Amino acid sequence: MRYGVVQIVDGEPGRGIEFAQSTAVAVEELGFDSYWAPDHVVFFDEFESEYPHSDDGTFGFKQDQGLLEPLMVLQAAAAVTSRIRLGTSVEVITERHPVERAKHVTTLDHFSGGRVDYGVGIGWNREEYAAVGVPWERRGARADEYIQVMKALWTQHRATFEGEFVSFRDVVAFPKPVQDPHPPVLVGGISKGAIRRAARFGEGWYGWKMTPDELRDALALLDSELEAAGRDRDDFRIVLGMPHWGDTDDLAPYLEQVEALGVDEFVLGLSIPRRDTRQFLEKYAAELPLGSDAAV
């Protein structure tokens, strides 16, 4: 099982480009396999929408906290690393136009030497959709189509697509991505719709904050959906992420269980301090079976 780190880069003092780059360098040198950036365009002081990954439905960001744009964070990380994969964890794909976003992802794929994993989801925040002017209704169908639009632009010599939300003909979209045929699309989300979307349109599924029993049920559904799509897990990645604070001793039994269920990569959502970043990550690196080239 591979291991990655996702961190918040919010632009607060000491948590800008230097922080993103120093963390990415430490992640690579310590033997982790990937570095991930989360996504939201805007937040609000109060939400009617319920966050699906907390017990009470509340979202735990601080007042006046935000996120820097994920592909730009990953570009900063790409500039100072050479080995680790760089991923979005996960981007709300429906909140950007896919023709333009396909070019952004292609650019990062070129500047990183083909190291991009494009994690996508449909989000949970109705208020955010309203702010960016995208209808909340049919967001699942929109996401399905946007994934197909981007793949058409990445792979077709002259790209043509006719859909409900996007249509174009004979588009000249160059350069194509470095990765062949395109950067892997990892569909995030724990709902039945997200799992079905992953099986139909993704190169992998990215789950978040699940117990082993919840993961087992989700993977059973995924296997069924993959079979319906004429696929199986042999050509498909299983990524699981989880926020973590405190003692690393509690990780070992959990990681053993999820690896046995077929997780290919585990992503730690860490609240990384701006000071002593490397020492903080060394604690985790010492407890995890990372690559043999780690410089701990």
Side-chain angles (χ1 to χ4, degrees), residues 52-88:
H53 300 295
S54 68
D55 294 336
D56 60 2
T58 59
F59 190 58
F61 264 47
K62 299 178 293 185
Q63 187 176 25
D64 296 336
Q65 186 178 19
L67 289 168
L68 293 179
E69 210 287 327
L71 294 190
M72 294 185 183
V73 171
L74 296 176
Q75 177 58 65
V80 293
T81 59
S82 61
R83 177 184 59 82
I84 52 173
R85 302 286 299 177
L86 304 166
T88 49

Side-chain angles (χ1 to χ4, degrees), residues 151-174:
K151 289 185 176 182
L153 291 162
W154 287 333
T155 61
Q156 296 178 16
H157 184 69
R158 293 290 184 268
T160 296
F161 191 91
E162 298 292 335
E164 177 183 352
F165 307 101
V166 181
S167 296
F168 51 78
R169 178 166 294 279
D170 296 332
V171 165
V172 181
F174 285 89

Side-chain angles (χ1 to χ4, degrees), residues 183-194:
V185 176
L186 308 176
V187 177
I190 60 176
S191 68
K192 291 182 179 179

Side-chain angles (χ1 to χ4, degrees), residues 76-145:
V80 293
T81 59
S82 61
R83 177 184 59 82
I84 52 173
R85 302 286 299 177
L86 304 166
T88 49
S89 175
V90 295
E91 180 170 291
V92 186
I93 190 175
T94 40
E95 292 183 352
R96 285 94 167 176
H97 195 283
V99 175
E100 185 177 20
R101 202 56 168 173
K103 177 57 65 68
H104 297 164
V105 175
T106 294
T107 301
L108 178 59
D109 203 48
H110 273 261
F111 286 179
S112 67
R115 292 186 281 139
V116 177
D117 286 325
Y118 189 43
V120 303
I122 64 171
W124 55 273
N125 188 342
R126 189 180 188 122
E127 293 88 341
E128 186 176 14
Y129 271 73
V132 300
V134 176
W136 177 255
E137 295 74 22
R138 292 191 56 73
R139 61 194 180 280
R142 185 182 294 272
D144 293 350
E145 185 168 304

Side-chain angles (χ1 to χ4, degrees), residues 181-204:
H182 53 72
V185 176
L186 308 176
V187 177
I190 60 176
S191 68
K192 291 182 179 179
I195 292 171
R196 184 176 302 113
R197 181 172 304 111
R200 294 175 63 195
F201 302 115
E203 282 68 57

